């Protein structure tokens, strides 16, 4: 069986010259490294930053949508360190973490007017930002949060290099005053939640400051990632020493703290995945450990099983897991080179992206569907990474798809068997993205996004379908690569598409009257 390889479906759609030039202005300074990501939301945005320059582009065409050059309080310009998409009051924007010569600044950037509308001074160097809420007051949308947080209007979790985790009031109920990053407000950090939050907030905001609850005091160990899981109402905090914590946003108490099996390697990214109809109320977290350095790097994936006492459907229709009982590591995968043979010695492995895609079957025709707690019948996590090998001019780039429902079907093994990897693994499939490297080299890949709606399976070759038809190696999906100079579109097709096409040819030769039935588009039939 041949390897799965992506096909490039577009040319390099280059960013406008003004965008490339603006980002290139600061590359001469040693501390300014070009970074960029797809926003991850439904707005179809991607952002790029280098030094103080922020560029926002259309993720499909590469067209420039917004741009801003941040200013510092002194002559030295700040550096954009963290960017997260954030929507509020029918506006789309970005939460931006700036590092300055002394301390950091959290900015709320409005894409509609290309300017900063809120700015708050932070202690230490900002390392991660995660939106918790974009509403406030007596709103149904904040009912799951601790009562003290419901008095705030918009909450963002912010972490620093010394281990702070702060819950910052964004004060979205007052956007009247003109503000920018140079005239940033101060924080009022509260270590213990006061009895009268509304009165305290009113007096603090009257003095031009932002109220802030300290969820975790500084420990000296940097926080490397933050991720809010809405379905379990938990804030996941990953640390540079490989530890991971879970904080309950209803009680504001820590529910779990342990070191991953990868040891003292930073927790670089986290993504959530839910299986289909697990009667034990289990869901899963992928934690990626990586230093993301240029030499000698390692990338390992760790799947944590979270078991809860209850799983219910809220009035809003959302599923909520409550009462964490345990959190255990159930599966691990090393992407550093041990999982497939390499020609030569690996110099470094770098994670490019991780995302989860879930699809829910429509149960509207069932009488009990109103109260039914639904779960995704398709649930996959997608990882992409790049391997640089000594002696090879160009890096190799891979995209892996992990299907958690097929992992359940395979009796939940704790690791990948080496002989399974490229051939008959029932729950993990690997595509090579080298064609895009060949076309775009020496441009750098910054991020990779699989389009959720495009994930589908072809027509099964027979009924009932063979067991292999349900393996993730039969998925078809579209991919976009974000590079330092533009975007490129690709398509990944699974084995099943080709097998089905062969079957059609055989049928049309032996049974002419079947030709009309079988020659419909093979990739158009979505699984969900």
């Amino acid at each position: 069986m041949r390897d799965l390889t992506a096909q490039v479906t577009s040319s390099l759609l280059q960013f406008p010259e003004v965008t490339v030039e603006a980002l290139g202005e600061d590359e001469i300074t040693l501390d300014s490294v070009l970074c960029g990501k797809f926003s991850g939301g439904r707005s179809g945005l991607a952002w790029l930053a280098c030094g103080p320059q922020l560029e926002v582009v259309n993720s499909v065409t590469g067209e420039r949508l917004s741009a801003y050059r941040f200013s510092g309080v002194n002559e030295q310009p700040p550096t954009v360190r963290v960017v997260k998409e954030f929507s509020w009051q029918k506006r789309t924007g970005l939460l931006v973490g700036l590092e300055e010569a002394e301390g950091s600044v959290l900015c709320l950037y409005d894409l509609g007017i290309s300017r900063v509308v809120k700015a708050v001074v932070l202690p230490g160097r900002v390392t991660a930002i995660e939106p918790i809420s974009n509403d406030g007051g007596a709103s149904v949308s904040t009912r799951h949060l601790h009562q003290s947080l419901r008095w705030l209007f918009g909450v963002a979790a912010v972490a620093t290099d010394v281990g702070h985790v702060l819950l910052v009031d964004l004060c979205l109920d007052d956007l009247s005053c003109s503000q920018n990053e140079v005239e940033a407000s101060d924080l009022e950090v509260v270590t213990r939640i006061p009895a009268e939050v509304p009165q305290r907030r009113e007096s603090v905001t009257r003095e031009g400051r932002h109220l802030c609850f300290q969820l975790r005091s500084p420990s000296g160990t940097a926080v490397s990632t933050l991720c809010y899981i809405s379905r379990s109402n938990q804030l996941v905090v990953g640390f540079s020493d490989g530890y991971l914590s879970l904080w309950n946003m209803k009680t504001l108490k820590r529910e779990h703290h342990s070191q991953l099996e990868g040891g003292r390697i930073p927790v670089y990214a986290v993504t959530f995945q839910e299986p289909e109809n697990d009667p034990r109320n289990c869901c899963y977290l992928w934690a990626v450990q990586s230093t993301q350095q240029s030499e000698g790097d390692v990338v390992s994936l760790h799947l944590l099983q979270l078991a809860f006492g209850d799983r219910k459907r809220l009035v809003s229709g959302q599923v909520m897991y409550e009462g964490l009982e345990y959190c255990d590591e159930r599966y691990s995968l090393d992407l550093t080179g041990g999982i497939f043979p390499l020609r030569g010695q690996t110099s470094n492995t770098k994670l490019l992206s991780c995302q989860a895609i879930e699809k829910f079957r429509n149960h509207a025709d069932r009488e009990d569907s109103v109260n039914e707690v639904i779960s995704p019948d398709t649930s996959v996590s997608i990882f992409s990474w790049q391997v640089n090998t000594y002696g090879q001019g160009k890096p190799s780039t891979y995209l892996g798809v992990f299907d958690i429902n097929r992992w359940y079907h395979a009796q939940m093994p704790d690791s990948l068997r080496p002989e399974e990897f490229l051939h008959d693994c029932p729950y993990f499939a690997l595509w090579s993205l080298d064609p895009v490297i060949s076309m775009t080299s020496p441009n750098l890949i910054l991020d990779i996004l699989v389009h959720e709606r495009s994930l589908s399976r072809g027509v099964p070759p027979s009924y009932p379908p063979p067991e292999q038809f349900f393996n993730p190696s039969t998925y078809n999906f579209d991919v976009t690569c974000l590079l330092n100079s533009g975007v490129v579109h690709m398509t990944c097709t699974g084995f099943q598409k080709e097998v089905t096409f062969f079957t059609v040819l055989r049928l049309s030769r032996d049974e002419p009257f079947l030709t009309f039935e079988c020659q419909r588009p093979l990739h158009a039939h979505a699984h969900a």
Side-chain angles (χ1 to χ4, degrees), residues 151-152 169 171 173 196-209 211:
W151 294 111
L152 312 184
D169 181 6
C171 298
D173 53 336
E196 300 294 333
V197 175
Q199 290 86 336
R200 181 71 177 271
R201 180 180 189 266
E202 187 177 345
S203 65
V204 166
T205 52
R206 196 184 303 125
E207 295 169 1
R209 299 195 302 277
L211 191 60

Side-chain angles (χ1 to χ4, degrees), residues 150-166:
R150 298 188 69 191
W151 294 111
L152 312 184
F153 278 78
V155 179
V158 179
T160 71
D161 62 336
V162 292
H164 275 112
V165 179
L166 307 171

Side-chain angles (χ1 to χ4, degrees), residues 108-124:
L108 177 57
Y109 178 75
D110 190 331
L111 286 167
I113 57 177
S114 293
R115 55 171 287 200
V116 173
V117 293
K118 288 281 179 184
V120 192
V121 175
L122 301 172

Side-chain angles (χ1 to χ4, degrees), residues 480-528:
T480 300
C481 284
L482 178 69
L483 296 102
N484 57 343
S485 59
V487 293
V488 173
H489 301 293
M490 299 181 292
T491 187
C492 292
T493 54
F495 290 131
Q496 193 56 51
K497 193 170 183 182
E498 298 201 347
V499 173
T500 308
F501 185 61
F502 178 71
T503 305
V504 171
L505 293 179
R506 292 296 300 270
L507 286 173
S508 59
R509 188 160 61 240
D510 297 340
E511 302 285 347
F513 64 91
L514 288 176
T515 303
F516 179 76
E517 290 289 326
C518 297
Q519 284 186 339
R520 54 195 173 184
L522 300 176
H523 59 280
H525 294 259
H527 178 53

Side-chain angles (χ1 to χ4, degrees), residues 25-62:
E25 278 185 34
D26 299 281
E27 285 187 317
I28 52 171
T29 61
L30 292 175
D31 198 38
S32 294
V33 178
L34 177 66
C35 55
K37 287 283 178 188
F38 292 107
S39 67
R42 300 189 179 277
S43 54
L45 304 176
W47 61 267
L48 300 97
C50 188
Q53 185 68 32
L54 175 70
E55 295 282 326
V56 183
V57 298
N58 183 300
S59 61
V60 177
T61 64

Side-chain angles (χ1 to χ4, degrees), residues 22 33 49 93 113 147 157 200 202 208 210-211 234 240 257 271 294 338 352 375 397 431 456 480 494 520 522 524:
V33 178
I113 57 177
Q147 181 57 49
R200 181 71 177 271
E202 187 177 345
H210 286 239
L211 191 60
Q234 292 170 313
S240 61
H257 182 69
T271 188
S294 57
L352 295 173
S375 60
T397 307
W431 276 262
S456 65
T480 300
R520 54 195 173 184
L522 300 176

Side-chain angles (χ1 to χ4, degrees), residues 137 142 145-152 197 249-250 252:
T142 60
L145 298 177
H146 189 277
Q147 181 57 49
S148 61
L149 295 179
R150 298 188 69 191
W151 294 111
L152 312 184
V197 175
M249 289 291 99
K250 184 71 172 178
L252 295 186

